[in-house]
Amino acid sequence: MLRYGYPLFMLVGVNGTAIWLAASGAPKALLLLPVAVAIVASFSVERLIPYRDEWNHSQDDSLRDAIHVFVNESMILISVAAIPVLAALRGPHTWWPGGLPFVVQVLIAILVADLGITLVHMASHRYGWLWRLHAVHHSVTRCYGLNGLMKHPLHQTLEMLGGVAPLLVVGMPVSVASALSVCVAVQLLMQHSNADYRVGPARRILALNSGHRFHHLRDAGEGDVNFGLFTLLWDHLAGTYVYDPDRRFATADLGMAAKPDYPTAYGEQLVVPFTAAGACGPMQPLPRRSLRERLATPAYACGSGRRRR
């Protein structure tokens, strides 16, 4: 029941509740309730059906991750609160399909945000200045719920801009943005979860934990796969989708092979991208290639391997 019921509870139950609250005009503070329920459910199920028992125990990272979550989730909430100001700057014109059912509007927002965030994510594995910021997220050596927001705040900001800016330009309402912010929080919990849940064939489309663990492989190139936040649609199109049902993951498989001593304290992780220690050595310049060919070859030598097809 837990293996198959948990993802339904989170993806349909929690997200559905948030969408209903947003559509009904409930106070925005009430949307914190489904987020709190999702966090409690995530930690509970990770202990009832863990993928790896040891990932439920702190590696001296629990406090740091909690700080990352608090800072980055606060940034998301502040950005939602700032939408009316941004709308005033945009002017009265709007191209948002407000006549559609509210749930359809949220699904449109999810797909557009998913594309924008995925593109920023892909670029973060290709360009050194972006990788410096994104490396904070790849320093993790266990996958569990809080990993999703274990990001440098500047990289979190860039991903948010990539995903939300197009929606703001066309006039996304605050209510839709509020529902979207809850869906993002739920998705990050699910994507990095240590729970051994199942979604059947949907794992090929939904960007959940069974596929996202491949993204956290430690060797250069191997982790340049499964970039999507909500879906794997863009990975299928770009040729960056990988899945092996027989592959199992352990702590030794995660992190960054080229930087096993990457700083673990929160303050150090804020600073290290701007130091020499935060860089990866550039490989030889690549000839002009298609997007699929470029994504298949790592641009920075942050490990010793190549992505296996």
Side-chain angles (χ1 to χ4, degrees), residues 35-84:
V35 174
V37 170
I39 293 172
V40 172
S42 175
F43 276 84
S44 299
V45 174
E46 283 181 336
R47 279 148 183 79
L48 291 170
I49 51 170
Y51 178 80
R52 296 201 71 90
D53 288 323
E54 62 269 25
W55 287 356
N56 282 334
H57 303 288
S58 177
Q59 299 177 359
D60 294 326
D61 55 5
S62 295
L63 177 60
R64 177 206 67 195
D65 292 354
I67 297 173
H68 274 294
V69 170
F70 176 78
V71 171
N72 290 329
E73 187 62 30
S74 297
M75 289 171 57
I76 292 174
L77 296 176
I78 291 171
S79 67
V80 172
I83 287 178

Side-chain angles (χ1 to χ4, degrees), residues 104-274:
V104 176
Q105 295 181 49
V106 174
L107 290 175
I108 291 173
I110 286 174
L111 288 175
V112 173
D114 187 47
L115 173 58
I117 292 170
T118 299
L119 290 176
V120 173
H121 196 175
M122 287 178 171
S124 300
H125 283 241
R126 292 294 309 166
Y127 300 103
W129 65 276
L130 277 172
W131 172 257
R132 284 172 175 264
L133 298 172
H134 188 47
V136 171
H137 181 66
H138 277 272
S139 67
V140 300
T141 53
R142 63 172 176 146
C143 285
Y144 77 115
L146 293 190
N147 282 160
L149 282 170
M150 208 289 280
K151 302 178 180 181
H152 195 286
L154 284 180
H155 195 267
Q156 167 80 2
T157 300
L158 292 172
E159 285 193 334
M160 288 170 56
L161 287 173
V164 178
L167 296 168
L168 296 179
V169 169
V170 298
M172 175 179 61
V174 174
S175 56
V176 175
S178 300
L180 175 63
S181 67
V182 175
C183 293
V184 168
V186 171
Q187 187 65 20
L188 290 171
L189 286 168
M190 295 289 289
Q191 190 175 61
H192 295 81
S193 176
N194 186 35
D196 191 18
Y197 63 81
R198 311 291 167 79
V199 294
R203 68 175 182 267
R204 298 182 178 274
I205 300 297
L206 301 179
L208 296 173
N209 63 354
S210 61
H212 195 68
R213 295 186 191 110
F214 290 88
H215 183 73
H216 280 275
L217 285 168
R218 66 195 303 268
D219 290 329
E222 280 199 318
D224 295 339
V225 298
N226 301 351
F227 291 95
L229 172 60
F230 284 102
T231 77
L232 296 168
L233 295 173
W234 317 117
D235 286 287
H236 282 289
L237 290 174
T240 56
Y241 169 78
V242 164
Y243 187 75
D244 178 1
D246 298 321
R247 179 67 188 264
R248 298 290 296 179
F249 297 83
T251 298
D253 298 316
L254 309 183
M256 294 182 289
K259 294 185 179 295
D261 299 319
Y262 196 85
T264 57
Y266 180 77
E268 292 176 321
Q269 291 190 340
L270 293 185
V271 174
V272 70
F274 307 101

